[in-house]
Amino acid sequence: MRVLFVFIFSFVVGESVRISAFEPPSDPVHIIVLNTPKCATGNLQNMFGTLLKCDAVKEVGEQHILRSCPDGSSVFRSHDTEATEKYYAEKGTLNNGRCVVVSAVRNPKTFLYSRFFETQRNVLCHGSNDIPAVLAQYGDWLMHFGPDAYRAPVVAGLFGLNDFKNVLEKMHDGGGFFHHFPKHDGVVFGDCELIMLQMEKLSSVSHRLLNTFPGIANISSETTEDTCPDSKDVRDALKHMQLNSTMQERFFGPGRMMKNAMDFYSKFG
């Protein structure tokens, strides 16, 4: 396998590291978009699929989509960390070329109201004349929605990065971009890199992605603002609704999956 090396600065000041640069079509590149729903999953899949010229849908499962590319590369998309880990443990294909797992973080409060809006899109897309009723419905939904649905900390944990607060701090130092390099320790993703992105800063980290994947371009999908412009009042009300203490504890209390992310966004916005 031919590998070209480029230098970039890591997030530890003064430390430089060597990473293998993407140079199609010499080496297959396996991109695994392993992400929380409503955190730019489609955008990321399209960005890498376009870069690698992936057209054919090779496999579609209940938990994943795998697109094949002409040079043997692939772009895999899933929201299920356990199913993805099992899939690649059985396939054993990640040592053929370069492997990169890509995930994103998002403000947990906007993540929550966005997930709720999607469940009621057909009703709320055209707005509502009864905002208080919508907020009451949202409050009820929050008390039934799984508090551990935020998967970014789980993805980081697959790489032994169990201090998610530290990952977020390094991502902040990188302007919304965090890059972890392979440890080759024999675990399923041991030969893979991890790139963690801050969803709100995708457009501003394009230069870092270009350093790692020359030729990649930011491809934006249609947003809810585009597809449901009449729902602005509803979305604004959902966004600014104050969660009561029970809801706060349920989602952001000690030991909860979203706690570190909520602390991060409360500090840095």
Side-chain angles (χ1 to χ4, degrees), residues 154-175:
V154 180
V155 175
L158 295 175
F159 293 81
L161 302 172
N162 297 312
D163 185 351
F164 194 60
K165 179 181 178 181
N166 184 53
V167 171
L168 291 170
E169 289 173 349
K170 289 184 176 180
M171 186 184 67
H172 174 71
D173 293 342

Side-chain angles (χ1 to χ4, degrees), residues 45 57-67 75-78 88:
Q45 175 187 278
V57 178
K58 187 176 181 181
E59 294 185 41
V60 179
E62 183 178 351
Q63 305 294 344
H64 63 263
I65 296 174
L66 178 65
R67 295 184 180 275
V75 176
F76 180 98
R77 165 184 173 168
S78 180
Y88 279 105

Side-chain angles (χ1 to χ4, degrees), residues 106-114 138 238-239 241-243 248 252 258 262:
R106 181 183 186 180
N107 187 317
K109 285 189 175 180
T110 62
F111 159 72
L112 287 170
Y113 90 72
S114 181
Y138 179 41
L238 291 170
K239 180 178 180 179
M241 186 179 109
Q242 295 297 313
L243 305 189
Q248 292 276 356
F252 313 130
M258 298 185 208
M262 193 66 252

Side-chain angles (χ1 to χ4, degrees), residues 202-269:
L202 281 181
S203 60
S204 64
V205 299
S206 58
H207 64 291
R208 290 191 176 273
L209 284 173
L210 279 169
N211 281 341
T212 313
F213 297 96
I216 197 168
N218 186 22
I219 299 175
S220 298
S221 301
E222 284 189 317
T223 65
T224 305
E225 288 82 355
D226 298 322
T227 57
C228 296
D230 295 334
S231 68
K232 184 178 185 306
D233 288 348
V234 172
R235 288 183 283 108
D236 285 346
L238 291 170
K239 180 178 180 179
H240 296 294
M241 186 179 109
Q242 295 297 313
L243 305 189
N244 63 36
S245 59
T246 301
M247 296 171 183
Q248 292 276 356
E249 180 69 21
R250 176 175 172 79
F251 291 102
F252 313 130
R256 291 302 189 186
M257 202 70 73
M258 298 185 208
K259 175 175 171 46
N260 285 324
M262 193 66 252
D263 291 345
F264 171 81
Y265 277 94
S266 296
K267 181 177 180 180
F268 296 112

Side-chain angles (χ1 to χ4, degrees), residues 25-51:
S26 301
D27 304 319
V29 181
H30 303 291
I31 301 295
I32 303 169
V33 180
L34 186 52
N35 208 18
T36 302
K38 307 305 297 178
C39 290
T41 306
N43 285 18
L44 294 171
Q45 175 187 278
N46 290 337
M47 286 168 62
F48 287 102
T50 300
L51 175 69

Side-chain angles (χ1 to χ4, degrees), residues 72-105:
S73 297
S74 63
V75 176
F76 180 98
R77 165 184 173 168
S78 180
H79 297 305
D80 191 315
T81 51
E82 290 79 10
T84 300
E85 189 173 22
K86 180 180 178 182
Y87 176 85
Y88 279 105
E90 294 173 351
K91 292 289 184 180
T93 58
L94 295 180
N95 58 356
N96 175 28
R98 182 182 178 189
C99 165
V100 185
V101 175
V102 183
S103 195
V105 299

